[in-house]
Amino acid sequence: METHTPYRYKQLSDLIVGMIANGTLAPGTRLPSVRAISEQQRVSISTALQAYRLLEDSGVLVSRPQSGFYVATTRRGTLALPSTSRPPVKASTVSISGAVATLLEHASNSALVPLGCAVPDATLLQSKRLDHVLARTARQYGMRYNAYCAPQGELRLRQEIAKRAMRAGHALSPEDVLITSGCTEALTLALSAIAKRGDTIAVESPTYFGLLHTLEVLGMKAFELPTDPTRGIDISVLSRLLDTKPVAACVLSSNFNNPLGSAMAEIDKKLLLKLLKRHDVPLIEDDVYGDIYFSSDRPKPFIALDGGENTIYCSSFSKSLAPGYRIGWIMAGLHAQKVLEHKLAFSLCSPSLPQVALAEFLASGAYDTHLRRIRRILDENLARMTHAIEASFPGDTKVSRPSGGFVLWLELPKRFDSRALFDEALKQGICFAPGDVFSASRRFRNCLRLSAAYEWNGRIEDGIRRLGRLANTLLA
Ligand SMILES: Cc1ncc(COP(=O)(O)O)c(C=O)c1O
């Protein structure tokens, strides 16, 4: 049965990843032809090709026309990738709010070296330009926007969002979009509309701590799924879970999980959608990092692959343009009416003026120019940060290689305590995110997340060097 048999192409791709990890296949090595490997491994040609394509999608292999597939050379240093997580096979109640509040307080302290805050620096964002549009809108329309808007949000902004969704492969109308106060409210609305206290929600592991905090407040349990640092969740574990336990929803990043930066290949996304549909479990997708991709095209969100049939889409402008405007959106499909009722109860509507200013900015075309610029800068920041980590952290540190977003996930030896590092780093004026806040079962104490969202300068570089030195001292 499909649900219990590991997929053959997956077995083959795992074999290749293992051979790269243990050094048998060095960067730049040419792989056997599709025909040769299909004969060697006794799989069909289409299975072999599927495995190669999967690895190409996740950046492990590159294909060269007329020549074949090669192991990608690591532009981002030589440190190994973090291991695939192995969380406990049970749902956990979440108790994380104290740790999250403390982290957020330190992360917003501008006196600290900002490696803890996963929001781009205002100088990288088009802050001045956007402020200008906001001021002009306020001047032009006077008091018109000091009023409640429709609960769904300003029509002009919903139209711009619908246009962008069309470009990402999902056709919808402005009526399908509801404006929220950031992605946080979108996720809270989605979860509260389709699940209740005590329900189990399947999530990535590690996952964004804000999602865990929301689950805690809503009294829901988290089932953490094993997650690969490049390819995302292990579908076979989810499949076994769905066969044996009731699950109310699955919440996943559309692309570039925070903190791993992993993104599922399109073929895996389709398999996952099929699996969830068969079990009648809705998918809530979080696409806040989707516009910050380093490949030539934007990877598709889940909603573009199932037409929204079983998917609730959540996103915001917080990671790419305007974190302080607190504007996000949700496309809830079949659950739209319930989500609207909850929106009325939570906040009635979102502030109008920022919505109208964002709509103007999007309509002017400035957002796309801006995105092209910050993608390049953030990709460079990640490469610089990886090299700085390589130069100063313990030699056996493992580092993620994100294909989008702007955070790095570091894994140190098991005995390493990132909480002790956190306390010492704060004393030295450096902030980062310790690993355990990314897990409901408080795993990953030997891991940490560093943000590369600020303009690269001597202060950041020196902060990483000092953090690396501290990590070496703590390990010794
Ligand atoms: C994965 C993820 N989702 C949602 C959010 C919150 O987004 P917003 O600021 O739009 O509420 C964050 C912020 O760090 C995030 O990393």
Side-chain angles (χ1 to χ4, degrees):
M1 210 171 78
E2 188 186 25
T3 50
H4 289 294
T5 318
Y7 303 102
R8 295 286 287 139
Y9 75 89
K10 195 108 182 161
Q11 285 177 330
L12 179 55
S13 66
D14 286 347
L15 178 77
I16 296 168
V17 167
M19 289 169 78
I20 295 170
N22 69 22
T24 310
L25 291 172
T29 308
R30 181 166 181 257
L31 272 91
S33 69
V34 172
R35 178 174 296 281
I37 201 152
S38 77
E39 282 167 10
Q40 277 168 21
Q41 297 296 321
R42 295 167 195 274
V43 296
S44 68
I45 289 194
S46 71
T47 299
L49 188 61
Q50 215 173 352
Y52 278 10
R53 289 269 177 245
L54 175 70
L55 293 172
E56 188 189 9
D57 281 351
S58 48
V60 177
L61 299 183
V62 287
S63 68
R64 296 191 196 144
Q66 319 293 332
S67 178
F69 287 85
Y70 290 76
V71 179
T73 45
T74 50
R75 188 166 53 86
R76 296 255 180 83
T78 53
L79 296 176
L81 283 170
S83 349
T84 298
S85 60
R86 286 207 210 97
V89 190
K90 66 180 174 51
S92 323
T93 49
V94 191
S95 173
I96 205 161
S97 47
V100 170
T102 309
L103 174 61
L104 291 180
E105 192 188 321
H106 290 304
S108 61
N109 179 353
S110 59
L112 301 174
V113 181
L115 306 174
C117 188
V119 180
D121 181 7
T123 56
L124 282 186
L125 302 174
Q126 292 278 344
S127 291
K128 277 208 183 115
R129 194 152 174 196
L130 194 56
D131 285 351
H132 202 69
V133 178
L134 186 86
R136 199 180 55 223
T137 311
R139 263 198 322 273
Q140 236 171 13
Y141 297 105
M143 287 175 288
R144 179 156 131 202
Y145 292 117
N146 189 10
Y148 292 156
C149 69
Q152 291 94 339
E154 289 291 338
L155 178 61
R156 284 189 56 203
L157 180 59
R158 289 186 284 123
Q159 282 167 337
E160 291 302 323
I161 289 170
K163 272 193 230 162
R164 297 193 71 80
M166 175 92 98
R167 279 163 49 183
H170 177 50
L172 79 165
S173 101
E175 302 310 310
D176 301 318
V177 180
L178 175 97
I179 303 297
T180 59
S181 296
C183 188
T184 303
E185 191 186 38
L187 289 168
T188 310
L189 288 169
L191 280 163
S192 65
I194 61 178
K196 56 183 188 320
R197 291 188 82 76
D199 279 352
T200 294
I201 311 296
V203 299
E204 290 148 309
S205 174
T207 192
Y208 165 53
F209 52 76
L211 168 64
L212 294 173
H213 180 239
T214 301
L215 292 181
E216 177 180 343
V217 169
L218 296 176
M220 295 168 191
K221 291 188 203 146
F223 186 101
E224 299 174 84
L225 297 164
T227 307
D228 177 272
T230 54
R231 289 171 296 155
I233 62 152
D234 185 332
I235 300 177
S236 59
V237 173
L238 178 62
S239 172
R240 277 197 293 279
L241 170 69
L242 296 176
D243 277 345
T244 50
K245 298 257 166 33
V247 173
C250 184
V251 184
L252 299 179
S253 338
S254 317
N255 293 298
F256 323 128
N257 149 293
N258 171 10
L260 287 173
S262 58
M264 291 175 78
E266 196 167 308
I267 184 169
D268 285 343
K269 285 181 175 167
K270 286 181 180 160
L271 280 174
L272 177 95
L273 285 167
K274 236 189 201 166
L275 176 71
L276 290 174
K277 176 87 184 124
R278 196 165 65 238
H279 289 269
D280 203 18
V281 172
L283 173 69
I284 300 172
E285 66 170 318
D286 175 343
D287 199 20
V288 277
Y289 292 98
D291 278 340
I292 305 175
Y293 53 88
F294 307 137
S295 49
S296 47
D297 298 310
R298 191 192 202 284
K300 282 194 175 139
F302 290 94
I303 198 165
L305 301 173
D306 84 337
E309 208 188 337
N310 192 37
T311 303
I312 300 185
Y313 177 97
C314 304
S315 194
S316 77
F317 294 106
S318 302
K319 304 296 171 184
S320 52
L321 183 62
Y325 280 43
R326 309 303 303 132
I327 298 295
W329 67 98
I330 182 168
M331 305 190 283
L334 296 175
H335 308 277
Q337 185 54 35
K338 187 116 183 242
V339 162
L340 179 66
E341 284 162 17
H342 285 215
K343 170 74 186 172
L344 290 174
F346 287 175
S347 56
L348 213 54
C349 59
S350 295
S352 302
L353 194 55
Q355 293 184 56
V356 182
L358 280 173
E360 289 256 336
F361 191 82
L362 295 180
S364 74
Y367 185 50
D368 288 304
T369 315
H370 159 68
L371 281 177
R372 276 195 292 278
R373 178 177 157 269
I374 59 164
R375 274 186 215 123
R376 185 181 43 75
I377 294 174
L378 293 170
D379 192 16
E380 278 170 19
N381 279 3
L382 286 170
R384 284 174 164 152
M385 193 170 269
T386 306
H387 289 305
I389 291 165
E390 210 170 6
S392 53
F393 271 70
D396 41 7
T397 303
K398 298 175 176 176
V399 185
S400 59
R401 249 171 258 145
S403 44
F406 42 75
V407 295
L408 288 176
W409 181 246
L410 280 64
E411 181 184 319
L412 282 92
K414 270 276 168 267
R415 65 179 201 286
F416 181 75
D417 183 359
S418 68
R419 279 275 154 201
L421 180 68
F422 186 62
D423 293 341
E424 282 306 312
L426 284 179
K427 284 186 210 154
Q428 294 208 15
I430 304 166
C431 184
F432 69 89
D436 62 342
V437 290
F438 297 90
S439 161
S441 50
R442 304 305 286 272
R443 303 165 60 73
F444 308 121
R445 213 167 152 122
N446 60 323
C447 300
L448 55 134
R449 186 196 72 183
L450 298 182
S451 166
Y454 276 59
E455 204 138 23
W456 190 259
N457 57 29
R459 185 173 178 237
I460 303 267
E461 196 165 352
D462 178 60
I464 295 183
R465 220 180 6 245
R466 286 190 290 132
L467 202 57
R469 235 182 277 139
L470 271 178
N472 273 299
T473 311
L474 283 175
L475 261 182

